[in-house]
Amino acid sequence: MRPQSISPETYIFRDDGKIPNSNYPILVYRNVFSGRGTEGALWLEHLFKENGWHNFWKWTIYSFHHYHSNTHEVLGVFQGSAEICLGGPTGKKIMIEAGDILVIPAGVAHKCISSSDGFTVVGAYPEGKSPDLIRAEESNHDTAVLRIQQVTVPEQDPVLGNAGGLLKLWI
């Protein structure tokens, strides 16, 4: 089952000297699916795999500002809710809950501020990619920027496939 006619919220953050962030916006798809627990996790894995996103994991979001300089990331919330910060310490705080999916461009910081008991996401990356993990520090910035510049736009949006999403908003 492929979601249809979904328009994501978008947030864009600029380089602050510690966190590169991106020229691409974060995409937040709200209330995409109704399955929870194992059913929701399996649905997300199937959707992501169908759209060329792999290397799945299930856990929470780190409680410190971090980003990935070598790949984009998708996070699908299948259990609980959380307040997260996007874009680093001067970024934006938003609430996410089961049913939501976030597409995070390479270089964009994210952090869990607080969460409900059992808050869990499925994370994935474009096929063939494994993420690095970079804390938001000035000493990492310049080399990370060079790696981020090499990351290409994925062939498909993890939610909408070739029907839109990042294919329209990141070009």
Side-chain angles (χ1 to χ4, degrees):
M1 175 169 91
R2 182 185 300 270
Q4 301 294 323
S5 304
I6 298 172
S7 295
E9 296 171 16
T10 59
Y11 302 96
I12 196 155
F13 305 98
R14 299 291 176 211
D15 189 324
D16 68 1
K18 289 185 179 181
I19 302 167
N21 285 308
S22 178
N23 293 323
Y24 300 134
I26 288 180
L27 309 179
V28 181
Y29 294 96
R30 299 286 188 178
N31 200 27
V32 175
F33 63 99
S34 59
R36 301 296 182 257
T38 301
E39 176 189 346
L42 290 172
W43 186 88
L44 285 164
E45 288 178 2
H46 176 78
L47 176 70
F48 297 160
K49 184 177 180 182
E50 181 179 76
N51 292 321
W53 291 65
H54 300 272
N55 198 7
F56 308 115
W57 54 269
K58 294 181 203 92
W59 201 49
T60 188
I61 300 171
Y62 288 119
S63 61
F64 55 87
H65 294 287
H66 68 283
Y67 60 91
H68 311 290
S69 70
N70 62 344
T71 187
H72 308 296
E73 180 176 46
V74 62
L75 303 174
V77 183
F78 68 90
Q79 194 163 285
S81 61
E83 180 180 29
I84 62 172
C85 184
L86 302 171
T90 61
K92 181 166 181 64
K93 296 176 184 176
I94 67 168
M95 290 297 299
I96 56 174
E97 62 185 9
D100 295 344
I101 299 174
L102 292 83
V103 184
I104 305 172
V108 177
H110 45 291
K111 166 189 173 174
C112 183
I113 298 168
S114 64
S115 63
S116 66
D117 286 343
F119 170 70
T120 317
V121 301
V122 169
Y125 309 92
E127 188 168 7
K129 301 294 182 179
S130 293
D132 57 9
L133 177 68
I134 301 180
R135 290 179 181 258
E137 300 169 357
E138 277 184 51
S139 62
N140 297 321
H141 180 272
D142 293 345
T143 54
V145 167
L146 296 175
R147 284 191 300 272
I148 292 164
Q149 291 171 348
Q150 303 304 309
V151 179
T152 59
V153 173
E155 292 183 19
Q156 296 191 81
D157 182 274
V159 177
L160 299 175
N162 59 10
L166 64 80
L167 298 180
K168 291 183 180 174
L169 297 168
W170 287 11
I171 302 300

